[in-house]
Amino acid sequence: MGAGWNLGNQLESTLDGTPNETAWGQPVITQALIDKVRAAGFKTIRIPVSYLRNIGPGPNYTINSSWLDRIQAVVNYAYNRGMYVLINMHGDGYKNFAGSWLICDSSSQSTIRTKYQRAWQQIAQRFQNYDQRLILESMNENFDGQYGRPTQPCYSNINSYNQIFVDTVRRAGGNNGSRWLLVPGWNTNIDYTAGNYGFVLPSDQYRSPSIPSNEKRIMISVHYYAPWDFAGEENGQITQWGRGSTNPSKKSTWGQEDYLDSQLKLMRDVFVSKGYPVVVGEYGSIDKSSFDSSNNRYRADFARAVVATSKKYGAASIYWDNGHNGQYGFGLFDRRARTVTQQGIINAIMGAVAG
């Protein structure tokens, strides 16, 4: 899958619960943008997708056909250029989104499971003739919204969603019987997925007999934004990362190279060693160069380390780009001008992929 890039803040963005690719300030996605991303060296694109109020009422829960058409068109921009493409169900499990419904601590689990099954049946049928370069991901950062230890029965419900996803896609016809499927644990958190907190790998009983018996076709999704005070916290306090840091007061007290190594080694030991590939579906750090002119160097160091360590332990990695450049942005490209804005970070990613 090579170097990966997220088309963030586009097909998952919403306007009052209705998905809208320009609602969060990004331009309409074009073939030219995807070509620019590919020309920069990226081989894989993850396309976050929200459905929300584009799913009709029960019992059929029909997805708006024009929305599926648009998702397919954007997939084709990358797929038809020979890239790997991931699509998921992104914002439907966010409690702070209007129209969200994939809520693990809701009392309406029977309705949620039926709706979830019908939605994935339609998505998988739409893409049934795409080959193994199209990967489907069951959900995004699903949890109860509390940043503490996982709770039950919430985690059990997340496990059940993953199982419904695998069973539904496998039975949806075409190439879905042998397609690679990607599932997360609690909030895509490494410790809560690989540790003894309740994650259950879905069984794959409906997979195609054409898959070699010793080969898994289920992958595990995690995200990596540690330490958060460097990677995501919106202030100018922690602007440096890694062994190249020159100012201890601007560097976090945790989450450096040794921690990164231990986290991805844990994923290797628990999943990769058993034949289940791992995908770091999101990673990156926000732009704090307005506070520290050297910040982009450390952002590049961070990206290089995540990609290199992922590769070391057999995982693919996909950079989170939210389309925003400037203070607190993750952007590597200007999507309107279709120009590169962070060549240093891209160089770091490509160098790490190449080894």
Side-chain angles (χ1 to χ4, degrees), residues 22-40:
T22 61
W24 293 352
Q26 298 303 317
V28 171
I29 304 158
T30 61
Q31 181 71 65
L33 171 65
I34 303 307
D35 288 348
K36 187 70 178 181
V37 173
R38 180 172 176 266

Side-chain angles (χ1 to χ4, degrees), residues 264-284:
L264 286 165
K265 181 181 184 296
L266 179 62
M267 292 301 294
R268 193 274 311 271
D269 292 349
V270 175
F271 297 110
V272 178
S273 65
K274 298 177 178 67
Y276 294 94
V278 166
V279 176
V280 181
E282 294 180 15
Y283 73 92

Side-chain angles (χ1 to χ4, degrees), residues 139-157:
M139 62 189 104
N140 186 49
E141 295 168 347
N142 206 300
F143 70 123
D144 64 0
Q146 305 300 314
Y147 290 96
R149 292 168 64 101
T151 57
Q152 296 290 349
C154 205
Y155 212 149
S156 296
N157 291 332

